[in-house]
Amino acid sequence: MTPTPFHEAPATDSVLLSFDGRVLEVFGYTDAARHHIWEEPRLEFRPGRSRRLTITTKHGRRHSILYDPHRLVGLQALADRLARSRPEGSEH
């Protein structure tokens, strides 16, 4: 198995999302949050005045944070990376 490169994407100046190939972590919101890849986390974006990024897992767990519009490209790249990292046989 080849090592998966580490991926970081800031959502704001004080919130950072980090993915090491196994665990998606959110730092700086109110506390750190961890979503293991077996939970199949996915990122959804709500544009507009109140831009929100929501992390949703296959079991319905949700974590919603604000994001800065100029950081959207990096966050979308992280969302694509998560989608490619889902376990084989995943329904999503």
Side-chain angles (χ1 to χ4, degrees):
M1 181 180 206
T2 53
T4 306
F6 193 71
H7 191 119
E8 291 185 338
T12 66
D13 287 341
S14 60
V15 176
L16 176 71
L17 279 72
S18 173
F19 181 60
D20 67 1
R22 293 181 41 217
V23 177
L24 172 66
E25 295 181 284
V26 181
F27 298 101
Y29 183 55
T30 56
D31 206 354
R34 295 173 51 90
H35 304 276
H36 196 278
I37 196 68
W38 70 263
E39 295 178 281
E40 298 177 22
R42 66 185 180 281
L43 304 183
E44 300 167 353
F45 301 95
R46 185 179 79 195
R49 240 175 94 190
S50 297
R51 294 166 305 280
R52 284 203 146 328
L53 171 151
T54 303
I55 302 167
T56 305
T57 67
K58 70 179 178 180
H59 299 294
R61 184 172 155 201
R62 299 174 70 83
H63 187 142
S64 183
I65 58 176
L66 295 173
Y67 69 89
D68 293 332
H70 66 280
R71 300 182 190 270
L72 182 58
V73 172
L75 292 166
Q76 288 173 325
L78 178 60
D80 291 343
R81 171 97 187 282
L82 277 172
R84 290 190 314 269
S85 299
R86 288 194 184 113
E88 289 184 32
S90 171
E91 295 179 18
H92 296 279

